[in-house]
Amino acid sequence: MRKLPVLLSSTLMSSIFAATLLLTGCAISNQPSVNTKITGEVKAPLPSDNVSVYNVAPVSYAEIAKMSASTIPSLEINDTRRVDEAVRLLQSEAAMLGANAIVLSNLDIETIKLEYSSLYNGTQGGRITENRHIVHIHALAVYVNDK
């Protein structure tokens, strides 16, 4: 029995190409993330509401961990909701380690470019380019004795 070569129509090829581009564009995380490196003594967990936020380190503290949080991409470059979200993630992670404070050390906004292509019927198409912004915040999880 002889196998016949399979010829793909231009519409099918266009659909496969568009699906590949769509899946490639989905490689960006749709979940915020927190990375933690334990550097000190972990204590009993606390409620995250008990974790204070410092922009400047207090006079006396014990370092528990170095942390960083990243948000999902946003269309707005100065999206304060994303900054608040990252701080809440850091507070929650610090609370699980028994830290009663976090000291914010660095805030970065990463801009990524997303390109979308669409093909309608194999002959028409378009390309959309968007800038998305991801907030990255670095902090120390600490225990402040004088709190």
Side-chain angles (χ1 to χ4, degrees):
M1 178 182 247
R2 189 175 137 213
K3 291 186 177 182
L4 297 174
V6 177
L7 299 176
L8 299 176
S9 69
S10 63
T11 304
L12 181 58
M13 288 296 288
S14 298
S15 298
I16 292 171
F17 181 69
T20 302
L21 288 176
L22 179 65
L23 292 174
T24 305
C26 293
I28 296 169
S29 176
N30 287 327
Q31 295 293 319
S33 64
V34 178
N35 294 313
T36 303
K37 181 180 179 187
I38 306 294
T39 57
E41 181 184 337
V42 175
K43 301 182 181 310
L46 303 170
S48 61
D49 294 343
N50 293 358
V51 178
S52 299
V53 179
Y54 291 89
N55 290 318
V56 177
V59 175
S60 176
Y61 65 89
E63 184 177 310
I64 296 175
K66 293 181 180 183
M67 304 183 305
S68 64
S70 298
T71 64
I72 61 173
S74 172
L75 286 170
E76 297 177 40
I77 191 164
N78 293 321
D79 191 347
T80 57
R81 294 171 301 172
R82 297 291 181 233
V83 174
D84 294 342
E85 173 188 14
V87 170
R88 280 193 303 275
L89 287 168
L90 292 169
Q91 285 178 293
S92 178
E93 182 75 10
M96 289 189 286
L97 301 173
N100 63 359
I102 58 173
V103 181
L104 303 178
S105 61
N106 197 8
L107 181 136
D108 297 316
I109 298 177
E110 175 188 5
T111 301
I112 56 174
K113 185 179 281 192
L114 296 178
E115 293 185 359
Y116 304 96
S117 294
S118 57
L119 299 170
Y120 303 112
N121 63 5
T123 60
Q124 299 176 355
R127 169 173 253 145
I128 298 171
T129 302
E130 293 179 344
N131 286 331
R132 297 284 177 109
H133 310 283
I134 302 172
V135 174
H136 302 283
I137 298 181
H138 302 273
L140 293 177
V142 300
Y143 190 84
V144 180
N145 291 323
D146 298 338
K147 209 175 142 192

